Amino acid sequence: MRILVTGAAGFIGSTTAELLVAKGHDVVALDNLASGRAENVPVGATFIEGDCGDEQLVTSLGTFEACVHFAARIEPGESMKYPEVFFANNVASSFRLLNALVHTGVERFVFSSSCAVYGDQVEMPIGEDRSTAPHSPYGQSKLMVEQGLQWLVELGRLRAASLRYFNAAGGTLAHPENHNPEIHLIPIALDAAVGRRSHLEIFGNDYPTPDGTCVRDYIHVSDLAEAHALAITALADHAGLTLNLGTGIGSSNKQIVETVKKVTGRDFEVRYVARRAGDPAAAVASNGRAREILRWQPLESDLENIVTDAWAAYQSI
Ligand SMILES: NC(=O)c1ccc[n+]([C@@H]2O[C@H](COP(=O)([O-])OP(=O)(O)OC[C@H]3O[C@@H](n4cnc5c(N)ncnc54)[C@H](O)[C@@H]3O)[C@@H](O)[C@H]2O)c1
């Protein structure tokens, strides 16, 4: 299949593009390098440096049977300061991309959505039918694209899957998690373990969770990549899909700290500071629908395996 992968110079996009190349697809990798790195684009993919919202550019790339759309700004905190940037980059650019792709005849579209569409939910795990209530312009931007896609599907313009990832983590030697700026707990804890940061800050230890720290559902990037390949296939039988991608198992921030200390064999200072606005106490996926429809299993996402792979990848940077 000829597949366009946007955001293929980023963490999840590069890992997925590599898998799609390995599965024999003809992959065109489009990234404006706003936060990605050209060296992340896997060997075997054709790299085009450019913006996914550049309709002329996208049209000039020809016809694709499928597109996997990762390109986005990903920091919820920044979106609270500059919402207009997130709506322009994540929403407007997505629809310009879709406009170009639909006109050149794309058949299947897989969209990187997020558990951020759910906002603060009390009852765990969270199923796809739970009402959405994003807490940030970032989460709202993902929901807006999902909603537009639902119309395109309903009106027969294309087939689309919105994949709501929980916390992407882990890494491979070729594609470590290395965001700039880094906002995710495991790589930040690894920075503390090697002394690149003086200490690790945990936001809040008075949440209504077993140990008082926030609980999240960590999913290995390799499992996410596999789910995208399966979603492209599943769209042959389903015009529209909305699926959670998580393990169904919650890990607290304290558990992450303990696992990072155990895996690296290094101790570091942890400071518990005030809660951060907008952080839900817990976010854990119900993943039954993805397991059933995609025949997907998160095989790499045991927490110790995630941290072990993240540590190996971190040391390769
Ligand atoms: N990392 C997570 O835990 C997580 C969780 C839920 C959803 N997601 C979603 O997954 C996707 C990938 O996340 P990631 O962690 O790999 O982020 P990342 O920052 O590593 O990758 C995003 C890539 O998109 C590129 N990009 C951004 N805007 C672009 C544009 N307009 N045109 C072309 N390229 C553009 C960046 O240069 C970067 O290479 C994002 O859509 C994100 O919202 C990530």
Side-chain angles (χ1 to χ4, degrees), residues 6-13 30-37 50-53 69-74 89-90 93 111-115 138 142 163-169 177 179 184:
T6 74
F11 175 48
I12 311 170
L30 176 63
D31 199 298
N32 66 4
L33 303 183
S35 63
R37 296 175 183 80
D51 200 284
C52 67
H69 179 40
F70 294 98
R73 288 284 306 262
I74 70 162
N89 194 62
N90 294 6
S93 292
F111 173 57
S112 292
S113 189
S114 166
C115 64
Y138 166 73
K142 294 289 169 183
L163 305 182
R164 295 174 174 170
Y165 322 154
F166 280 63
N167 285 53
E177 181 166 15
H179 293 107
H184 294 145

Side-chain angles (χ1 to χ4, degrees), residues 11-164:
F11 175 48
I12 311 170
S14 62
T15 311
T16 305
E18 185 173 50
L19 181 73
L20 294 173
V21 169
K23 287 183 183 288
H25 295 293
D26 177 6
V27 173
V28 175
L30 176 63
D31 199 298
N32 66 4
L33 303 183
S35 63
R37 296 175 183 80
E39 62 269 24
N40 278 347
V41 175
V43 175
T46 305
F47 177 47
I48 308 288
E49 183 178 341
D51 200 284
C52 67
D54 182 342
E55 290 182 53
Q56 240 185 341
L57 171 66
V58 174
T59 304
S60 75
L61 299 177
T63 301
F64 294 97
E65 286 149 289
C67 171
V68 192
H69 179 40
F70 294 98
R73 288 284 306 262
I74 70 162
E75 315 88 347
E78 286 294 289
S79 82
M80 298 296 281
K81 292 189 219 153
Y82 312 108
E84 65 284 358
V85 172
F86 282 70
F87 292 123
N89 194 62
N90 294 6
V91 183
S93 292
S94 292
F95 288 112
R96 283 199 294 267
L97 169 73
L98 279 159
N99 193 30
L101 287 175
V102 169
H103 283 99
T104 48
V106 79
E107 291 157 18
R108 305 178 198 189
F109 191 84
V110 179
F111 173 57
S112 292
S113 189
S114 166
C115 64
V117 299
Y118 295 115
D120 199 352
Q121 300 278 338
V122 175
E123 212 178 302
M124 296 298 134
I126 304 170
E128 289 87 347
D129 295 330
R130 196 68 70 76
S131 60
T132 48
H135 257 187
S136 66
Y138 166 73
Q140 187 72 46
S141 75
K142 294 289 169 183
L143 187 59
M144 287 164 83
V145 176
E146 281 197 15
Q147 290 169 333
L149 279 172
Q150 279 162 15
W151 278 107
L152 269 70
V153 168
E154 205 170 307
L155 298 172
R157 307 300 280 166
L158 45 57
R159 293 168 170 266
S162 292
L163 305 182
R164 295 174 174 170

